[in-house]
Amino acid sequence: MAEDKKKGTDYAAMERPIFQAWKDAGYFQRTPGFGEHADESYTIVIPPPNITGVLHMGHALNDTIQDACIRRARMRGFQTRWIIGTDHAGISTQTKVDKRLAEQGISRLEIGREAFVEECYKWREEYGTTIVNQIKGMGCSCDYDDEHFTLEPAYVRAVRKLFTDWYHEGIIYRGKRIVNWCPSCTTAIADDEAEYVDEPGHLWYLRYPLTEPVDGLEYLVVATTRPETMLGDTGVAVNPKDERFGHLVGKTVKLPLVDREIPIFADWHVDTEFGTGCVKVTPSHDPNDWAMGERAGLPRINIFDETAHVVEGYGKFSGMDRDEAREAVVAAFEELGLLDHVEDHDHSVMTCYRCHTKLEPWESEQWFVAVDALKEAAARVVEDGSIQFHPARWRQVYLDWLANLKDWCISRQLWWGHRIPMFYCDACGWEDASVDELEVCPQCGAPVRQDDDVLDTWFSSQLWPFATMGWTEEGMDAPEMRAAYPTQVLSTARDIMGLWVARMVMASMYCCDDTIPFEDVIIHPTVMAADGKPMSKSRGNGVDPLRLMEDYGADGMRYGLLMQVTGAQDMKFNEAKLESSRNFANKVKNASRFVLMNLDGYEPGAPEPVTPADRWIFSRLAKIVAAVDAAYDNFEFGEITRELYSFVWNEFCDWYIEFSKARLGEGADPADRVACQRNLVFVLGQILRLLHPIMPFITEEVYGELPRDADDAPMLIVAAWPDAAQLARFVDEDSERAIAMVCEVVGAVRSTRSRYGISPKVALPVAVKVADEGDAALLLAQAHLVAQLANVEELDVAVEASKPAESAVVLGSGLEVYVVLAGHVDFDAERARLAKERDALAKDAAKFEKKLSNPGFLAKAAPEIVEKDKAKLADLTDKLARIETQLSELG
Ligand SMILES: [Zn+2]
Ligand SMILES: [Zn+2]
């Protein structure tokens, strides 16, 4: 509300003490459980935010979803716990710390590994809790007293144990592989971490002389975007079905500059359309060439060192960096008359996501996880439905990802992270993995050294669901594991489906006796900017959740975000939804204030529907609870917010409270007054419970002000969730129909009054045409309500009712309402006024129509002008239609 804005409501001032009260009461730790689910646990592990992170819209949405699930489970009596913690985030933390040191003129290499890692821990102390505090600000009911960190001692042991087990079983192996190498960071970069950049380039056509001319042909021409890599060529490939070259397969070429004799061979992967159809093959510097080289048994020659300089043994090229080498190789070919020609060629190159240096496909020794041993079980538990995806279409995405999974390179050449627990003895050659630190060789007693590399951050993230539950010390016998594993819900973004979700399943199946890590996986939509593009700093289209909480309160932000969740995979952020959610929160508060102000003489007691209006609202409540439960069971969060919004606002606030006013006012029957008070308190209490998981603060605040029974929970956070089965006895179709008709008739009379400017003080006769005798009886029985709310002096209800003279008509669902205006409206004057207005509007509309059908105007005018005119025309047409209706109503 504009008013709120001006005053600048300090939402945090209301929210913080409530949060503290929940925390102090211990409700964030695993709850004791009550009712029918008392013995069941319900656990969620939060996707651990990076210690370098700050709350963004993705977190805001995801954390709201998880908090809604966990709060509802707590209210349903489950023993709930939402596990929180942070991820050490290897590469991005190292970058931040590097930068901080650089600002002080210190280099990482100067201070050495140990001191650097210490700096990283210091950095974490200072900044690593920022995001956890922001999550608290959202009201998330995580177990903050047992916060985890992927580099805490127990976690480190868990990671080492898994590494050691997999190593001993041959699932982890060391191998030479081609990896995406950053020559500047001197580390391997995961495929998923690389960024693609389009850049203009060239295609160089190089001549490779045949060792022996074939039918007069002296050389082949190969096309390449990276001529410098020819120093490492070990073959030339053609497609086996390419008739131009069939006769050359098996012959050799003499590689220029290095004078190496290399074979011509056939491989199905050669694209006959690319270049000349002959391709040079450099297995050590191109992943496709690597694969071709493997198939053809080619040697691999690595021509670059780890900083992408040409290694020794290449004459003048040795010591050049890759760009210098390119120029020199091209110049040498030109000199030898072997440069056929050059074409312009744009291509996309992989760059390092943290320093933006071009990545070098580079052969190096790395550690790998052989995923074939793990992926079958991970696929099975999704195929057989043990793990369910929401929306369901993600199931196939997961299975496809697993099917295409290749061995996972897990070593990173960084300092910050889980150091690979491999120990080597240089004296006798002994080596092994070990969970415990090793100082000396068990074989010869010489000092050992540990592997220098660290593990990919995802290697440790995959243990998150169980390494946070005591698995490290006691395995599956840990009390938490026994009581609460598998967890129930995992909610995450789609882009880490493979990187994280699938790996957790693989790790859990292996580490936890074939137990899945979670039962339901929610893949929430990605929050896009209002313009539909990804939010980004450079575009300036981002939205800060901290600002949103200031403007709309945590409740307004949470509700407004969930309102926008549909089954779609993207959600275009719409701030207006947060505004309407804030207004909704105010509406709830105002309704509560009304109830509280009308509790004079209140006596606690069981609610009991007495009037048809009571029976109606109780029936509607029963149905809403069932609908909300069903939507939660299907993880349809947008649906939950819409059901509740319309019930609370349109039915409870707009109608039930109004129906109640006469029963609470002066002269009301004291017994009925108490009944009405109890029913208001009851329905409002149920509404607060239903809203609480999404709007925790304002509902808790109001709950604290409402009268409570002795057996009611001390705080709403642990109050019992509405029981759909118990409420089902209140379902009453007749009362629902009767009150629905009352609302329609009252609405019709009110809208007619405002259209014709007739005061509510003037009583009007009304006739209603209904569909059948049943409806007629139901509505007539509520004539007093209609009279009370719409000031109707005569209510005529009949199946055969016809439109009285000089009356307005309003169509409702299954009924027509005629409001008699005779004596209150001068029909002749009104008709003349309307006709005049209609003619003026028609003239205007014709003008715009003509303009908009003129091709000349449409071609020349700016698009926004055309849009504006179209909008004006639509508005005029709409007004015209309304006037026509009024005119025909007047007869
Ligand atoms: Zn880099
Ligand atoms: Zn030894």
Side-chain angles (χ1 to χ4, degrees), residues 182 184-185 189 352 354-357:
C182 176
S184 167
C185 303
I189 301 284
C352 171
R354 74 174 168 147
C355 75
H356 308 294
T357 304

Side-chain angles (χ1 to χ4, degrees), residues 410-516:
I410 50 170
S411 37
R412 295 290 182 273
Q413 291 64 46
L414 300 172
W415 284 354
W416 176 241
H418 291 268
R419 193 162 171 182
I420 291 179
M422 279 298 298
F423 296 86
Y424 309 97
C425 172
D426 293 327
C428 75
W430 172 91
E431 63 174 50
D432 200 357
S434 166
V435 176
D436 296 309
E437 285 296 317
L438 278 184
E439 301 289 334
V440 293
C441 171
Q443 202 160 275
C444 74
V448 292
R449 64 179 168 83
Q450 189 176 353
D451 201 292
D452 279 330
D453 290 354
V454 301
L455 291 163
D456 178 6
T457 303
W458 297 107
F459 189 91
S460 50
S461 312
Q462 68 181 336
L463 288 85
W464 185 248
F466 49 93
T468 49
M469 288 175 71
W471 175 84
T472 314
E473 296 82 8
E474 296 169 82
M476 292 303 282
D477 288 332
E480 265 287 88
M481 290 296 287
R482 248 189 305 178
Y485 202 75
T487 68
Q488 273 56 57
V489 165
L490 180 86
S491 179
T492 189
R494 67 169 183 266
D495 50 351
I496 51 175
M497 161 82 99
L499 284 173
W500 192 45
V501 179
R503 282 173 185 157
M504 282 189 283
V505 180
M506 289 191 273
S508 180
M509 294 300 285
Y510 180 88
C511 296
C512 305
D513 300 349
D514 271 332
T515 310
I516 53 173

Side-chain angles (χ1 to χ4, degrees), residues 840-862:
L841 284 168
K843 220 166 117 191
D844 269 359
K847 231 170 37 197
F848 279 104
E849 253 163 28
K850 198 172 156 200
K851 200 170 162 193
L852 284 166
S853 59
N854 175 357
F857 166 75
L858 291 175
K860 268 186 280 165

Side-chain angles (χ1 to χ4, degrees), residues 615-630:
R615 285 194 288 275
W616 161 75
I617 200 74
F618 277 49
S619 179
R620 293 296 305 137
L621 173 68
K623 286 188 184 174
I624 288 301
V625 171
V628 167
D629 277 344

Side-chain angles (χ1 to χ4, degrees), residues 38 64 94 113 124 153 255 291 315 385 495 533 556 592 611 651 707:
T64 301
Q94 178 153 340
R113 183 172 192 140
R124 181 201 169 224
L255 191 64
D495 50 351
K533 301 207 173 82
S592 313
T611 66
E651 299 186 287

Side-chain angles (χ1 to χ4, degrees), residues 162-173 370 373-374 510:
L162 180 59
F163 184 97
T164 306
D165 288 350
W166 275 356
Y167 176 72
H168 289 151
E169 282 191 37
I171 293 173
I172 281 181
Y173 65 92
L374 306 167
Y510 180 88

